[in-house]
Amino acid sequence: MDIAAFRLSLHDTEPPAAVSLPLQALWWDAKGDWDRAHQCAQADPGPGGAAVHAYLHRKEPDLANAGYWYRRAGRSPATGGLDDEWAALATELLSG
């Protein structure tokens, strides 16, 4: 699946069945369900889950908590727009 197909799936009522928890988190976030997105990100203990978790707390905004999750993901905190970070994360996770 590529980013265009992932974005098209936002018209559905559930995320695509084969996507990872971090991608499910981004999907729910794009649908406006931050709580469900947070649950998905929190359920993934890996770096992808931590990166999406950081993004979600940055969006909240809870920058101190976001900083913790960026460190857990081994990343510097994002400084660009939230939409750009969402797209970059989705693209990275879809290609990985």
Side-chain angles (χ1 to χ4, degrees):
M1 174 176 287
D2 63 14
I3 188 73
F6 187 66
R7 286 184 190 275
L8 281 175
S9 77
L10 293 170
H11 296 290
D12 298 333
T13 58
E14 294 288 327
V19 299
S20 66
L21 283 168
L23 281 166
Q24 289 177 44
L26 290 174
W27 193 92
W28 286 113
D29 173 66
K31 296 285 276 187
D33 192 336
W34 190 94
D35 290 328
R36 196 144 180 201
H38 187 252
Q39 290 171 4
C40 291
Q42 200 164 22
D44 185 295
V52 174
H53 207 151
Y55 157 80
L56 290 169
H57 282 296
R58 179 174 173 239
K59 185 175 185 177
E60 190 175 17
D62 181 348
L63 298 182
N65 201 357
Y68 168 81
W69 288 103
Y70 282 116
R71 288 189 299 278
R72 287 276 309 263
R75 300 171 182 245
S76 298
T79 57
L82 289 166
D83 291 341
D84 293 337
E85 185 177 8
W86 185 96
L89 285 166
T91 299
E92 175 186 331
L93 292 165
L94 286 164
S95 68

